[in-house]
Amino acid sequence: MTTHHRRSFLGTAAGSLGLGLASLSHLLAAEQSPAPISSTSTAATTDIVGRPRLPPRARHVIYLFQNGAPTHVDLFDYKPKLRELHGQPLPESYVGGKRFSTMTGNANGKLILGNVEPFAQHGESGAWVSSLMPHTAQIADELCFIKSMHTEAVNHAPAITFMLTGSELPGRPALGAWLTYGLGSAADNLPGYVVLTSVTKGTSCGQIFYDFYWGSGFLPSRFQGVKFRGSKDPVLYLKDGPGISREFREAMLNDVTALNLQKQALSGDPEISTRIAQSEMAFRMQTSVPELTDLSGESKATLEMYGPQVEQPGSFAYNCLMARRLVERGVRSVQLMHAGWDQHNSLTTELYNQCRDTDQPSAALVKDLKQRGLLDDTLVIWGGEFGRTPFIQGDLANRPRWGRDHHPYAFTVWMAGGGVKSGVTHGASDDLGMNVLENPVHVHDLQATILHLMGIDHERLTYRFQGRQFRLTDVHGHVVHDILKHV
């Protein structure tokens, strides 16, 4: 059976059968005219795509997403009572009928597991950081820790999708897609939204990187993230074939564009605009990408700051340096995704590897941005999809196989730069790190705050799809004003 795109069907019907003209006109108008962002604020400004918005605190976002869920109680959320009650059954009052993964089932009676390594306070802020994160500890006074995060999903893919798109189900636009839709890109020769992935070598707990984690959903596909591969040739098919000159390539592109414009005039398909824009971008990237990935101009001190893996394409360290170089060149949103944090039975082995591979580069990125004057308008976010349980998964007598299960009820993220207060901690979990105790921050609240820092009212950045206005935060979310710098 032959299938047809509804736009093609209506266009054909209109031409050959005289049917569908009114429907086609209505559909194209709805799909090509996203609902405008409006603002009643007299302080609203106009961005590069002509939509009114709020004065931005940040112009770029770098999201250091840690797939698999870092354990908050072993890294940043110090709980002395966990060590005090180590090996004792979890009090039923902390569980309260909560839902956990099928690996845990009923949490009543599970044994409490103390932090695997000691904590210490750092900087003038006195932030508690595990000895597993010595480099992050050095920048504690640059960070804003949110220790009252909570979410709704208990499994990885739905929770990651929820954190990045505002919905547990695939199909919604990712944060970076919303940002490039709402703000455009200041990069002429690079995509507005770039994604880089990495995984610690030899890990047994990697997570799958699904394309919908950086997809455009129902937004035009030109807003989707462009994934750079972890190699010296990060974007496929940019190079011209043998005997193809740049002049010939440009002339061919111009001719193809002319044909696409004719087709667009006939069909009104907005995806043709995407193809035109992407072809032109690919042509410009033939020059910009080799320059981007050429590290010969980086000083020895800078490379050493990011750690020994910085010159290995595909490593987290390399990706962190690429993130700085991307925002330097105007890229709006950079999303780094590093897998391997899913330590169900490897806290005393793979947690150490994850920290070794990510701690130094993450701290170096913040320091590098600051010393170059980029941190003030670049928002850096570090965190995963949820936390890990304060109780053990596994046998307490078998330390090499200690683990923690998924925990959506309290976890920690940190932010730096981009209009966020530095050297502060917002919110708190209870004395076991089990439940949020003060100033809860939901996933939609974090998303609303990110958009606010970028100068967008999260309630007004919408796109009409299937008869309703959609937004990143759905019908939820409140800006966390307490973590914002005063202006």
Side-chain angles (χ1 to χ4, degrees):
M1 171 183 266
T2 302
T3 59
H4 297 279
H5 192 287
R6 61 176 183 160
R7 193 177 289 107
S8 301
F9 169 76
L10 289 171
T12 303
S16 62
L17 302 175
L19 300 174
L21 279 175
S23 298
L24 178 61
S25 175
H26 173 76
L27 287 169
L28 294 177
E31 293 186 20
Q32 294 187 76
S33 302
I37 307 167
S38 61
S39 175
T40 57
S41 169
T42 57
T45 59
T46 301
D47 63 39
I48 60 175
V49 293
R51 297 176 183 145
R53 61 185 177 92
L54 303 172
R57 311 284 189 93
R59 299 185 183 278
H60 313 277
V61 170
I62 299 175
Y63 202 146
L64 307 178
F65 199 90
Q66 311 301 312
N67 287 47
T71 164
H72 59 298
V73 292
D74 290 301
L75 299 178
F76 302 119
D77 200 4
Y78 179 47
K79 299 299 176 185
K81 195 168 183 178
L82 282 180
R83 176 54 55 190
E84 176 188 335
L85 300 180
H86 177 78
Q88 297 186 30
L90 178 70
E92 187 175 347
S93 60
Y94 286 84
V95 179
K98 287 181 170 57
R99 180 171 62 105
F100 293 90
S101 83
T102 55
M103 290 172 281
T104 289
N106 188 342
N108 288 328
K110 297 290 184 180
L111 302 183
I112 293 173
L113 179 64
N115 48 284
V116 296
E117 292 294 337
F119 278 71
Q121 290 181 283
H122 297 273
E124 293 183 6
S125 62
W128 289 97
V129 181
S130 168
S131 61
L132 288 165
M133 291 284 197
H135 295 277
T136 302
Q138 293 175 11
I139 62 165
D141 287 342
E142 298 291 341
L143 306 182
C144 171
F145 292 96
I146 302 177
K147 296 187 178 180
S148 54
M149 287 296 308
H150 62 103
T151 186
E152 297 168 21
V154 297
N155 289 312
H156 296 292
I160 296 170
T161 309
F162 190 46
M163 184 68 80
L164 295 176
T165 75
S167 171
E168 293 184 40
L169 298 177
R172 299 283 184 88
L175 169 65
W178 279 112
L179 289 173
T180 50
Y181 163 66
L183 301 177
S185 174
D188 292 330
N189 301 317
L190 290 165
Y193 177 22
V194 174
V195 179
L196 303 104
T197 64
S198 58
V199 60
T200 292
K201 291 183 178 179
T203 183
S204 64
C205 54
Q207 296 298 312
I208 296 172
F209 297 121
Y210 294 108
D211 287 350
F212 54 77
Y213 290 161
W214 51 86
S216 58
F218 43 69
L219 293 177
S221 57
R222 67 180 179 273
F223 298 117
Q224 72 184 3
V226 175
K227 182 183 176 183
F228 280 19
R229 301 188 312 152
S231 70
K232 291 188 179 297
D233 188 15
V235 182
L236 292 174
Y237 311 120
L238 282 185
K239 297 179 181 178
D240 292 328
I244 303 297
S245 68
R246 189 161 180 82
E247 291 74 19
F248 179 84
R249 174 78 167 179
E250 183 175 12
M252 182 175 64
L253 176 62
N254 288 337
D255 290 342
V256 171
T257 297
L259 292 172
N260 278 328
L261 287 171
Q262 292 179 25
K263 181 65 175 178
Q264 185 181 37
L266 291 172
S267 69
D269 186 349
E271 287 303 303
I272 295 178
S273 296
T274 292
R275 288 199 293 273
I276 294 171
Q278 298 299 72
S279 295
E280 293 173 348
M281 175 60 72
F283 180 72
R284 295 193 295 271
M285 286 168 65
Q286 287 185 310
T287 300
S288 64
V289 169
E291 185 276 331
L292 170 72
T293 56
D294 180 5
L295 304 184
S296 61
E298 297 288 346
S299 69
K300 181 180 178 181
T302 297
L303 295 176
E304 289 178 348
M305 181 169 62
Y306 281 89
Q309 297 180 359
V310 68
E311 296 186 80
Q312 300 174 19
S315 69
F316 185 75
Y318 178 87
N319 290 350
C320 282
L321 179 55
M322 283 297 107
R324 190 220 79 206
R325 293 174 65 87
L326 285 163
V327 299
E328 276 184 317
R329 289 155 177 77
V331 174
R332 181 73 64 190
S333 181
V334 184
Q335 182 173 313
L336 272 59
M337 304 195 73
H338 184 78
W341 293 95
D342 193 21
Q343 285 113 26
H344 289 281
N345 55 16
S346 56
L347 272 178
T348 57
T349 53
E350 294 191 346
L351 174 60
Y352 293 74
N353 296 335
Q354 290 296 107
C355 293
R356 179 201 65 217
D357 288 352
T358 62
D359 171 44
Q360 184 173 353
S362 300
L365 175 61
V366 173
K367 291 189 285 187
D368 199 7
L369 289 169
K370 184 176 182 179
Q371 68 187 19
R372 294 171 188 270
L374 295 170
L375 188 59
D376 286 344
D377 65 0
T378 302
L379 177 64
V380 183
I381 309 158
W382 188 101
E385 64 270 34
F386 38 61
R388 317 264 345 158
T389 55
F391 52 82
I392 191 171
Q393 183 177 6
D395 181 1
L396 193 67
N398 186 6
R399 191 178 192 278
R401 300 287 291 174
W402 282 359
R404 299 187 191 272
D405 201 2
H406 310 164
H407 192 73
Y409 303 107
F411 62 103
T412 299
V413 303
W414 61 252
M415 306 170 77
V420 170
K421 291 179 180 177
S422 56
V424 300
T425 293
H426 178 82
S429 61
D430 60 28
D431 53 1
L432 295 183
M434 185 79 174
N435 305 295
V436 171
L437 189 64
E438 299 174 4
N439 299 319
V441 177
H442 186 267
V443 168
H444 288 313
D445 299 331
L446 180 66
Q447 294 163 343
T449 304
I450 294 169
L451 292 182
H452 180 85
L453 287 165
M454 296 293 288
I456 295 175
D457 183 336
H458 74 104
E459 295 183 351
R460 292 175 176 168
L461 179 63
T462 63
Y463 190 89
R464 188 168 183 81
F465 177 67
Q466 293 185 340
R468 63 162 283 197
Q469 299 297 122
F470 282 86
R471 69 188 208 215
L472 173 64
T473 53
D474 195 42
V475 295
H476 310 284
H478 301 280
V479 176
V480 186
H481 289 282
D482 287 347
I483 69 171
L484 307 183
K485 286 183 178 178
H486 298 298
V487 292

